[in-house]
Amino acid sequence: MAAASTEHRVRLLCTDELGVVRVSEAAGTNRSQLDGLLNMSTRWGEPSRARRILKCRAGEDGAGGSDSGAPGSCVASGWMAVARHDGTVEVIESASGAVMGGGGVAVGGVPVGVNLYGPAPGREGARLITVTEDGEAVVHAAGCGSGAGAAGFGSFGDDDRIVEEWTESVRWKATGHAAACRASAGGAILALGGKGNGNDLKLYDVETQTITFKAKPPPENWLGYRAPPWVSAIQFVPGSDSRSIILGTGEHVLRLYDIRTNKRAVLDMSVGDAVITSLAVSHDASTAFIANAQGQLNSVDLRKGLLINKYKGHSGSIREVVIHPMENLIATAGLDRYLRVYSTDTKRCLAATFLKQALTGVCWDLRGPAREAAAAESAAAEEKAA
């Protein structure tokens, strides 16, 4: 495939229950050119239900930036991590689907979440953080080097392009059972939680593997009953320096924690009618997007604690909702086999495409300025040669 043909700003990578990565893209570079033009362009991987993909995550800048992948992150560099049911995690190059880092790494259990970061000050290599459902957190590292014609780390620079073989750095028992996890911008803090007593929200310092925050359970209700923890989704709030976290529960409750003020949630509200499966937060940290297992997608004003909108169109469990790193767009993928893109300004579905299999995740893939310039130069050269 010619270099120019991969340079689409509106480009999404979806994972499915057969272990295949499906690429959907539009030729436009902004939302006004997106309407109805999103189509599947290619797919990577051989179908295998035993190796189905459970979670995926776009790579981020190891130096920090925004917890939502907003400007300052390296989502545009073209790499993503996929966690498979067979207990392996792979890092793939998003332009070609090639597996980087010497192949997949075994994490010792079924993964419930994966996070991927590039080089950072004081850390030359890339970092891969995975949590398994039995509560083990695993950190892998890989050196980055230089090489002519190397690909994969487009936004870093000429000296940080090739991911070498992954090696395990540290492993520790973080909780008794894990159902969801999320690492902060830069990968310094790991938030996780699960199902059952003792498995409520915890925050760990990844370098020291020590607990920095442990949530207090909510008060008992008027019947004297307190439901055991069931953390089903976690997301850091952008701009909070990793000190504000939202989580969703199996009892369709949204909670907002501010670790600077209280160990109990500062916001606790019921949203929807089913298990919350995925969360996203707007760039200004004012709005949370909550997806659940009944196909409901709602938005909540985090400052007022009010439900403000319901997004229509889904007919099955939504597995992932992700916000565009730069624009006011969200993408969803779920069991109804559709990838959808919505405007958070108009609340309208801008595009939807049928991808044939039940979807388990979605990532935005952006082209960095250097790669776009190279594509434009290549296109100009081809036109001149013709």
Side-chain angles (χ1 to χ4, degrees), residues 53-198:
I53 298 173
L54 304 176
K55 296 289 180 180
C56 66
R57 180 77 169 164
E60 296 181 31
D61 188 348
S66 165
D67 294 294
S68 69
S73 75
C74 69
V75 177
S77 66
W79 41 306
M80 68 178 289
V82 295
R84 298 183 180 272
H85 186 263
D86 64 358
T88 61
V89 175
E90 296 173 349
V91 177
I92 67 172
E93 208 281 325
S94 64
S96 65
V99 178
M100 301 189 293
V105 293
V107 295
V110 178
V112 298
V114 62
N115 301 266
L116 177 61
Y117 301 91
R123 188 184 75 241
E124 294 182 357
R127 169 178 281 180
L128 185 65
I129 303 173
T130 311
V131 175
T132 65
E133 65 179 8
D134 61 2
E136 280 199 327
V138 191
V139 180
H140 287 84
C144 299
S146 60
F153 284 73
S155 67
F156 282 140
D158 293 337
D159 294 330
D160 298 301
R161 288 191 145 183
I162 300 175
V163 178
E164 297 173 354
E165 188 171 344
W166 294 102
T167 58
E168 186 174 313
S169 301
V170 65
R171 177 188 296 263
W172 76 96
K173 185 71 171 177
T175 190
H177 172 270
C181 75
R182 183 72 77 192
S184 65
I189 303 295
L190 176 65
L192 75 165
K195 192 174 182 181
N197 290 323

Side-chain angles (χ1 to χ4, degrees), residues 267-301:
L267 173 65
D268 190 304
M269 63 180 292
S270 178
V271 180
D273 304 308
V275 175
I276 294 174
T277 54
S278 184
L279 298 166
V281 186
S282 62
H283 300 309
D284 63 2
S286 65
T287 306
F289 304 95
I290 302 101
N292 72 22
Q294 280 190 355
Q296 298 168 331
L297 177 62
N298 301 303
S299 59
V300 166
D301 187 320

Side-chain angles (χ1 to χ4, degrees), residues 359-382:
L359 304 176
T360 59
V362 58
C363 294
W364 292 97
D365 174 46
L366 307 184
R367 300 293 97 189
R371 185 169 290 191
E372 288 190 355
E377 184 178 344
S378 174
E382 289 180 3

